[in-house]
Amino acid sequence: MLYVPTMLDWKQLPRPIVALAPMADMTDLPFCLICKEHGAPLVFREMVSSEAVVRGNAKTLDMAKFDEAERPIIQQIFGSNPFVMAEAANIIEERYHPDGIDINMGCPVYNIVSNFNGASLIRDHDRAAAIVRAVKKAVSIPVSVKTRLGWSRDTDCLEFVKVIEDAGANLISMHGRTKEQGYSGKADWKSVGKARARTSLPFLVNGDIVNVETARSALAESGADGMLIGRGALGNPWFFCEIRAAFDGTISFTKPTIEERVKVALRHAKLHAERYGERGLVKLRKHLPYYFKKDLKSDYPWIDIMELRAKLVRISTLEELEAVLRDLPYSAPRE
């Protein structure tokens, strides 16, 4: 059946906009589904290489596949060649029909910026604008840009957001650190706000949003229309329901119990096995400790959380994971 997309209109979405941020090697199909099942209104998929898409690389194209339950879904791409980026966006739209294309202009990782991708584009306004214009012309869906405060200065973004807006982007999201900071230090939401004030586009703030308090502060200090939640959602898909409950009185939130954490971790594991085969459980190891963070010790002092986490990063099969989690004592032992 021919897919007829429902056009995503960033300007008309209820405020605050709440979405799962694109995270390399993290926001794949299984995790995006888990987040959608627990209240994420929107999800941004992990970035894929435009060069690999255009070459027809099977692994890369498979990364862009998604489940209909993930909608609305935005596929992020990266690259430095406007023509290749445009062709890749067109291939992804025609093959998979996502609800939007996001252009990575913020990744600080060396092997990305060394090839003039990601955050390198903040220093090349002409190339960045050409990429946005080319992608916009190549697709019929909204085009957004994810970037940072700058390369080395937190003022680099002030002119850059105008360049992106003038090139025709539909949305800007901004991480509150420079490329040189990487993920160190604290996200500077006030500096994000200075960039936000320079554009009329819908704008999302990103970085260090890990609870309701930081979500409120990020929005207040940045003046953004919404937020991208990244590491705060790892092992905590309930965070989306919690955020929405804090801003929308029609939704309630209850802190997940250890039983619920086990249930969702196992659901995540089964999705991984379906998506990647039995070896998918090795790929899941990086997610599992997040479901059982150290601060659970205060609620469940009788569980050795550190020993549990150590076991989780060694599992290789679904059966091993089930065995580790099966015997967890949910209630305090009787004296």
Side-chain angles (χ1 to χ4, degrees):
M1 184 175 67
L2 178 67
Y3 172 69
V4 180
T6 300
M7 183 59 70
L8 177 66
D9 187 343
W10 290 110
K11 292 184 178 180
Q12 298 302 317
L13 289 179
R15 267 48 172 174
I17 299 169
V18 179
L20 173 65
M23 292 179 282
D25 298 322
M26 287 294 188
T27 51
D28 58 359
L29 187 154
F31 186 58
C32 286
L33 266 181
I34 289 291
C35 289
K36 288 294 291 188
E37 291 172 0
H38 291 82
L42 286 160
V43 297
F44 282 71
R45 274 293 200 87
E46 62 181 326
M47 64 181 178
V48 295
S49 163
S50 59
E51 296 280 354
V53 169
V54 169
R55 291 197 306 268
N57 181 274
K59 181 179 179 181
T60 302
L61 288 169
D62 189 62
M63 287 172 64
K65 288 181 181 178
F66 60 87
D67 189 294
E68 286 296 306
E70 293 178 73
R71 291 192 186 278
I73 184 168
I74 316 300
Q75 178 61 59
Q76 187 178 81
I77 61 176
F78 73 91
S80 59
N81 185 311
F83 303 104
V84 174
M85 288 285 278
E87 186 178 352
N90 179 260
I91 290 170
I92 289 171
E93 180 184 22
E94 291 192 350
R95 185 176 292 222
Y96 300 123
H97 312 293
D99 300 286
I101 293 290
D102 189 59
I103 301 172
N104 186 309
M105 296 189 181
C107 181
V109 177
Y110 174 76
N111 64 353
I112 297 294
V113 298
S114 62
N115 291 313
F116 307 103
N117 304 311
S120 284
L121 293 167
I122 300 172
R123 300 190 295 179
D124 191 338
H125 290 189
D126 290 343
R127 185 186 298 267
I131 288 173
V132 174
R133 288 195 297 267
V135 173
K136 280 285 291 183
K137 187 176 180 179
V139 299
S140 62
I141 50 181
V143 174
S144 54
V145 170
K146 187 172 189 293
T147 187
R148 285 180 167 248
L149 290 179
W151 181 266
S152 59
R153 301 176 301 171
D154 60 13
T155 55
D156 293 342
C157 57
L158 299 181
E159 182 60 30
F160 191 63
V161 293
K162 291 299 297 177
V163 170
I164 297 305
E165 178 177 20
D166 292 344
N170 300 103
L171 170 90
I172 296 174
S173 55
M174 183 172 287
H175 186 99
R177 292 179 175 87
T178 63
K179 179 271 171 192
E180 289 192 351
Q181 283 180 284
Y183 296 100
S184 64
K186 293 181 64 177
D188 185 350
W189 303 318
K190 289 184 178 178
S191 290
V192 172
K194 293 176 183 177
R196 195 275 166 276
R198 298 289 294 269
T199 174
S200 61
L201 289 178
F203 203 100
L204 304 182
V205 61
N206 174 232
D208 292 354
I209 300 173
V210 296
N211 52 39
V212 171
E213 292 71 27
T214 50
R216 291 191 189 280
S217 295
L219 287 179
E221 293 181 27
S222 69
D225 299 288
M227 66 195 87
L228 284 181
I229 296 173
R231 286 176 286 180
L234 296 177
N236 187 24
W238 303 272
F239 190 25
F240 293 98
C241 187
E242 183 179 9
I243 289 289
R244 293 173 64 189
F247 290 93
D248 182 352
T250 65
I251 299 173
S252 60
F253 170 74
T254 303
K255 185 178 180 180
T257 62
I258 192 77
E259 295 96 326
E260 290 173 303
R261 289 183 175 278
V262 168
K263 180 180 178 180
V264 174
L266 287 172
R267 162 74 173 154
H268 194 169
K270 289 173 182 176
L271 287 172
H272 250 259
E274 291 172 6
R275 180 77 169 102
Y276 304 111
E278 189 62 38
R279 290 293 296 173
L281 273 295
V282 174
K283 184 179 175 69
L284 183 69
R285 287 175 180 172
K286 60 181 175 288
H287 278 278
L288 291 173
Y290 286 104
Y291 282 103
F292 305 96
K293 295 177 182 177
K294 298 174 185 178
D295 56 10
L296 281 178
K297 188 69 177 177
S298 60
D299 292 328
Y300 302 93
W302 58 88
I303 298 177
D304 190 333
I305 297 295
M306 296 306 293
E307 181 184 1
L308 171 62
R309 286 162 57 90
K311 290 179 179 178
L312 291 173
V313 297
R314 294 197 296 268
I315 63 100
S316 298
T317 66
L318 185 57
E319 290 71 23
E320 288 178 11
L321 176 61
E322 290 172 337
V324 168
L325 297 177
R326 183 186 304 126
D327 299 325
L328 275 183
Y330 295 145
S331 300
R334 295 180 179 178
E335 296 294 337

